[in-house]
């Protein structure tokens, strides 16, 4: 089914996708003329495939559950924010805070992601084929971030138990983030996510692993300058 944002209002299209009749078989949608609209495809909660043909604004596919959303363009702030499950595939670049606070699912970005990618992520898997900006994985609690390019300043600042894998260079590490030993289970995790993301030309052992030094979990006066 084709949905045209020049003919229908944003709220009408979101309502259509959020309230599908479970007895009907229509599960494939194409949205045309998105023209940078905000919160497009937010709050989807059923199995479906949605292809957005063009660029979108803030919080596209936020709070997603089960749906598979592809954006054939660039996305604004907070794509897949608070996602629970499903997949969100950005074929262009992503602005800041991609995948913020997301609990599950896969966010795949073909281009670059701006600052604070994966901020406070809570279980999501994020795969970025390009590079990420400063303070990515800031306060990241769990889940996996794979960066096939480079990472900006303060990577993983104040993170908890998220695994970060970067193939390229890291400008600097944030507070309590350190390079960690790569084990077989981590290589297997990278391999599985690269396969799921249909990335075939990169070897898992070409990445470096970063994670928490676990020194800021509890307040310690000796670490006060790092808080």
């Amino acid at each position: 089914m084709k949905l045209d944002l020049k003919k229908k209002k944003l709220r009408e299209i979101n309502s259509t996708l959020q309230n599908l009749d479970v007895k009907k078989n229509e599960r494939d949608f194409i949205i045309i003329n998105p023209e940078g609209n905000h919160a497009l495809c937010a709050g989807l909660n059923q199995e479906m495939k949605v292809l957005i043909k063009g660029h979108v604004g803030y919080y596209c596919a936020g709070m997603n559950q089960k749906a598979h959303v592809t954006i054939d363009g660039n996305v604004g702030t907070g794509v897949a924010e608070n996602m629970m499950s499903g997949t969100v595939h950005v074929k262009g670049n992503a602005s800041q805070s991609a995948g913020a606070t997301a609990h599950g699912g896969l966010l795949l970005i073909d281009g670059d992601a701006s600052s604070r990618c994966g901020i406070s992520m809570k279980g999501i898997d994020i795969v970025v084929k390009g590079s990420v900006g400063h303070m990515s994985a800031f306060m990241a609690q769990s889940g996996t971030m794979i960066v096939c390019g480079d990472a900006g300043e303060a990577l993983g600042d104040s993170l908890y138990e998220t695994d970060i894998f970067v193939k390229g260079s890291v400008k600097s590490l944030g507070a309590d983030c350190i390079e960690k030993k790569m084990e077989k289970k981590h290589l297997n995790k990278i391999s599985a996510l690269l396969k799921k993301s249909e990335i075939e030309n990169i070897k898992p052992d070409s990445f470096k692993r970063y994670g928490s030094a676990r020194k800021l979990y509890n307040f310690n006066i000796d670490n006060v300058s790092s808080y």
Side-chain angles (χ1 to χ4, degrees), residues 11-144:
R11 182 170 292 183
E12 184 180 356
I13 288 178
N14 276 349
S15 180
T16 296
L17 297 174
Q18 291 163 356
N19 298 285
L20 297 180
D21 188 335
V22 295
K23 295 181 180 179
K24 291 184 178 180
N25 295 323
E26 184 63 70
R27 283 292 184 273
D28 290 288
F29 300 90
I30 297 175
I31 298 176
I32 60 173
N33 298 311
E35 297 182 339
N37 269 280
H38 303 312
L40 183 59
C41 293
L44 305 188
N45 58 12
Q46 296 186 44
E47 287 275 355
M48 70 183 82
K49 291 183 179 179
V50 182
L51 172 61
I52 303 171
K53 300 286 288 184
H55 308 307
V56 295
Y58 300 165
Y59 302 112
C60 179
M63 302 178 290
N64 184 57
Q65 296 184 62
K66 301 179 181 179
H68 305 280
V69 181
T70 300
I71 301 99
D72 192 6
N74 301 321
V75 298
T77 298
V79 62
E81 181 265 347
N82 207 36
M83 178 164 71
M84 297 294 173
S85 59
T87 60
V88 176
H89 182 185
V90 180
K91 291 192 172 183
N93 299 315
S95 187
Q96 62 186 359
S97 304
T101 73
H103 290 248
L106 171 66
L107 171 60
L108 172 61
I109 300 170
D110 287 354
D112 298 323
S114 185
S115 60
R116 298 178 182 83
C117 179
I119 180 174
S120 195
M121 55 190 279
K122 298 176 174 69
I124 188 177
D125 293 321
I126 300 176
V127 178
V128 181
K129 292 183 181 180
S131 300
V132 296
H134 67 271
M135 295 196 78
S136 288
F138 173 53
M139 293 188 69
Q141 297 175 33
S142 63
T144 304

Side-chain angles (χ1 to χ4, degrees), residues 148-169:
C148 299
D150 303 323
E153 296 175 338
L155 176 70
D157 189 273
S158 304
L159 86 166
Y160 291 82
E161 291 303 312
T162 295
D163 270 324
I164 306 171
F165 304 100
V166 181
K167 183 176 183 294
S169 64

